[in-house]
Amino acid sequence: MTLAFKPYLREISLDPKAQIDYDRYPFSIPAVRELGVMTLHRDVTFFVGENGAGKSTVLEAIAVAMGLPAEGGNRNVYRQQQEVSPLHGYLKLVKGFRQPRASYFLRAESLFNVFSYLDEIKVGPGSGAGLHRRSHGEAFMDLMLNFREDGLYLLDEPEAALSPSRQLAALTVMHQLVQEGSQFIIATHSPILLSYPNAKILCFDESGIMEVAYADTEHYAVTRDFLNNHERRLQQLLVDEDAD
Ligand SMILES: Nc1ncnc2c1ncn2[C@@H]1O[C@H](COP(=O)(O)OP(=O)(O)OP(=O)(O)O)[C@@H](O)[C@H]1O
Ligand SMILES: [Mg+2]
């Protein structure tokens, strides 16, 4: 085990010296405005919260500030940068004393492009394996199985690619990597992934960012309630117009 080197990224905050216009995107997002000092878990930090709460914006800014491409991928991906929020330029990062041996930013929307590119240049995790000829979930699992120890991995909604069984498998792979010295930061809506115990869950909402316990997340509560009462909940949700 090589746990002594973690975390690679300890803290992020808005640079107190920066001139910030809080009326404009991305600083107008409550979670960004109230970012304060975000302390990251040495193993896994989850970002949760409603759609539009700012999770991807913050994750992308961390990735770019760490030298990763905004489009996603590893440091070998040199592509035309897509439109990126200016947040990365305003972040103060407190890093660990050692650099990760590998790093990767998975950006849900551009996975296909990055896989094609990595196939093309045959460099980096999963490259040259015909990733773009695999299904979304197969390619993602190939990629994750090629993640190296002592890495820093930033993943935006990895569950988008994964069946429930593969999400369980992803927990196993993530645990292995964590034990081998890797750190993850993951934006997710998956109650399965969120169950990972060596983790900190940060909830983004209108008031800012707050740490929550797994069982107190909306993901856990709503999924559990729905699965336990799905017939009743469906009756409440699906009201037929012609029903008297
Ligand atoms: N270029 C932009 N200009 C202005 N507003 C933007 C821009 N890009 C994103 N936003 C807004 O910023 C907010 C945060 O978006 P973000 O993608 O970070 O949310 P999220 O928490 O990742 O949501 P989801 O769970 O749906 O992925 C949203 O309200 C979005 O509409
Ligand atoms: Mg998002």
Side-chain angles (χ1 to χ4, degrees):
M1 281 206 220
T2 50
L3 292 179
F5 300 122
K6 287 198 285 181
Y8 305 107
L9 188 54
R10 289 176 186 279
E11 274 179 20
I12 66 164
S13 53
L14 292 179
D15 185 343
K17 290 187 283 240
Q19 296 286 326
I20 293 174
D21 179 354
Y22 287 101
D23 291 329
R24 297 190 58 179
Y25 170 82
F27 304 102
S28 52
I29 300 172
V32 174
R33 197 172 50 231
E34 305 293 333
L35 187 69
V37 177
M38 178 191 286
T39 306
L40 298 152
H41 194 284
R42 67 204 304 276
D43 294 336
V44 181
T45 305
F46 289 112
F47 293 170
V48 300
E50 259 316 313
N51 297 124
K55 305 176 297 295
S56 297
T57 303
V58 173
L59 195 64
E60 172 196 271
I62 295 174
V64 176
M66 291 296 291
L68 291 165
E71 192 184 52
N74 59 20
R75 287 204 172 85
N76 298 313
V77 175
Y78 300 109
R79 287 178 82 100
Q80 186 86 43
Q81 294 276 304
Q82 65 178 70
E83 195 189 333
V84 61
S85 96
L87 181 57
H88 61 94
Y90 293 79
L91 285 187
K92 202 172 130 221
L93 304 184
V94 179
K95 297 183 191 171
F97 62 88
R98 215 187 75 163
Q99 291 252 358
R101 285 173 61 189
S103 46
Y104 198 96
F105 175 35
L106 174 88
R107 185 188 180 102
E109 317 94 83
S110 57
L111 194 62
F112 184 86
N113 291 346
V114 173
F115 281 173
S116 302
Y117 178 73
L118 290 174
D119 271 355
E120 203 177 291
I121 63 165
K122 304 196 184 330
V123 177
S127 62
L131 284 173
H132 62 291
R133 290 195 299 275
R134 307 275 279 150
S135 83
H136 193 189
E138 289 167 346
F140 177 77
M141 285 309 283
D142 286 352
L143 179 73
M144 204 171 173
L145 289 168
N146 277 286
F147 281 169
R148 292 177 54 191
E149 69 277 12
D150 301 330
L152 173 66
Y153 299 107
L154 313 181
L155 312 179
D156 196 357
E157 296 191 32
E159 70 272 17
L162 301 172
S163 72
S165 314
R166 287 276 170 95
Q167 289 183 45
L168 298 175
L171 281 177
T172 306
V173 177
M174 185 167 78
H175 186 52
Q176 181 72 34
L177 286 159
V178 159
Q179 288 179 303
E180 290 170 357
S182 292
Q183 181 184 12
F184 287 80
I185 306 173
I186 304 175
T188 186
H189 295 292
S190 163
I192 295 179
L193 295 182
L194 276 180
S195 70
Y196 187 69
N198 308 331
K200 177 174 188 173
I201 302 176
L202 296 175
C203 181
F204 289 43
D205 68 16
E206 282 304 307
S207 59
I209 300 177
M210 236 182 41
E211 185 173 355
V212 284
Y214 176 53
D216 293 334
T217 60
E218 192 189 330
H219 311 67
Y220 174 87
V222 171
T223 309
R224 184 186 153 110
D225 172 74
F226 184 77
L227 293 179
N228 285 336
N229 308 287
H230 68 276
E231 284 171 0
R232 191 142 36 98
R233 293 291 172 256
L234 281 176
Q235 274 171 13
Q236 292 163 340
L237 290 165
L238 312 181
V239 180
D240 288 337
E241 293 214 337
D242 54 359
D244 287 317

mmCIF file of all heavy atoms in Angstrom, residues 55-57 109 156-157 187 189, ligand 2:
data_model
loop_
_atom_site.group_PDB
_atom_site.id
_atom_site.type_symbol
_atom_site.label_atom_id
_atom_site.label_comp_id
_atom_site.label_asym_id
_atom_site.label_seq_id
_atom_site.Cartn_x
_atom_site.Cartn_y
_atom_site.Cartn_z
ATOM 1 N N LYS A 55 -21.962 21.274 -9.896
ATOM 2 C CA LYS A 55 -20.992 20.185 -9.683
ATOM 3 C C LYS A 55 -20.000 20.076 -10.839
ATOM 4 O O LYS A 55 -18.790 20.011 -10.637
ATOM 5 C CB LYS A 55 -21.735 18.838 -9.505
ATOM 6 C CG LYS A 55 -22.767 18.864 -8.403
ATOM 7 C CD LYS A 55 -23.534 17.573 -8.305
ATOM 8 C CE LYS A 55 -24.370 17.233 -9.536
ATOM 9 N NZ LYS A 55 -25.470 18.187 -9.783
ATOM 10 N N SER A 56 -20.536 20.054 -12.076
ATOM 11 C CA SER A 56 -19.645 19.908 -13.235
ATOM 12 C C SER A 56 -18.752 21.135 -13.387
ATOM 13 O O SER A 56 -17.585 21.015 -13.765
ATOM 14 C CB SER A 56 -20.451 19.717 -14.527
ATOM 15 O OG SER A 56 -21.185 18.524 -14.452
ATOM 16 N N THR A 57 -19.319 22.303 -13.091
ATOM 17 C CA THR A 57 -18.536 23.538 -13.207
ATOM 18 C C THR A 57 -17.322 23.480 -12.283
ATOM 19 O O THR A 57 -16.197 23.803 -12.691
ATOM 20 C CB THR A 57 -19.424 24.755 -12.840
ATOM 21 O OG1 THR A 57 -20.573 24.743 -13.692
ATOM 22 C CG2 THR A 57 -18.681 26.062 -12.982
ATOM 23 N N GLU A 109 -20.066 14.214 -21.209
ATOM 24 C CA GLU A 109 -20.526 14.537 -22.567
ATOM 25 C C GLU A 109 -19.496 14.264 -23.653
ATOM 26 O O GLU A 109 -19.852 14.109 -24.808
ATOM 27 C CB GLU A 109 -20.927 16.012 -22.695
ATOM 28 C CG GLU A 109 -21.726 16.604 -21.569
ATOM 29 C CD GLU A 109 -20.827 17.273 -20.564
ATOM 30 O OE1 GLU A 109 -20.460 18.423 -20.783
ATOM 31 O OE2 GLU A 109 -20.485 16.645 -19.553
ATOM 32 N N ASP A 156 -17.033 12.733 -13.866
ATOM 33 C CA ASP A 156 -18.340 13.404 -13.861
ATOM 34 C C ASP A 156 -19.415 12.406 -14.296
ATOM 35 O O ASP A 156 -19.430 11.966 -15.450
ATOM 36 C CB ASP A 156 -18.300 14.607 -14.818
ATOM 37 C CG ASP A 156 -19.459 15.569 -14.569
ATOM 38 O OD1 ASP A 156 -20.316 15.265 -13.707
ATOM 39 O OD2 ASP A 156 -19.511 16.620 -15.229
ATOM 40 N N GLU A 157 -20.265 12.046 -13.382
ATOM 41 C CA GLU A 157 -21.370 11.104 -13.618
ATOM 42 C C GLU A 157 -20.924 9.825 -14.333
ATOM 43 O O GLU A 157 -21.441 9.498 -15.408
ATOM 44 C CB GLU A 157 -22.498 11.779 -14.400
ATOM 45 C CG GLU A 157 -23.142 12.911 -13.610
ATOM 46 C CD GLU A 157 -24.419 13.426 -14.253
ATOM 47 O OE1 GLU A 157 -25.121 12.624 -14.892
ATOM 48 O OE2 GLU A 157 -24.712 14.620 -14.112
ATOM 49 N N ALA A 187 -18.512 13.544 -9.345
ATOM 50 C CA ALA A 187 -19.855 14.131 -9.328
ATOM 51 C C ALA A 187 -20.813 13.019 -9.735
ATOM 52 O O ALA A 187 -20.592 12.356 -10.755
ATOM 53 C CB ALA A 187 -19.942 15.287 -10.322
ATOM 54 N N HIS A 189 -25.040 11.128 -9.398
ATOM 55 C CA HIS A 189 -26.419 11.045 -8.914
ATOM 56 C C HIS A 189 -26.715 9.599 -8.498
ATOM 57 O O HIS A 189 -27.872 9.261 -8.247
ATOM 58 C CB HIS A 189 -27.404 11.434 -10.024
ATOM 59 C CG HIS A 189 -27.311 12.857 -10.472
ATOM 60 N ND1 HIS A 189 -27.663 13.918 -9.663
ATOM 61 C CD2 HIS A 189 -26.917 13.416 -11.638
ATOM 62 C CE1 HIS A 189 -27.489 15.055 -10.321
ATOM 63 N NE2 HIS A 189 -27.025 14.771 -11.519
HETATM 64 MG MG MG B 2 -23.079 18.048 -14.280
#
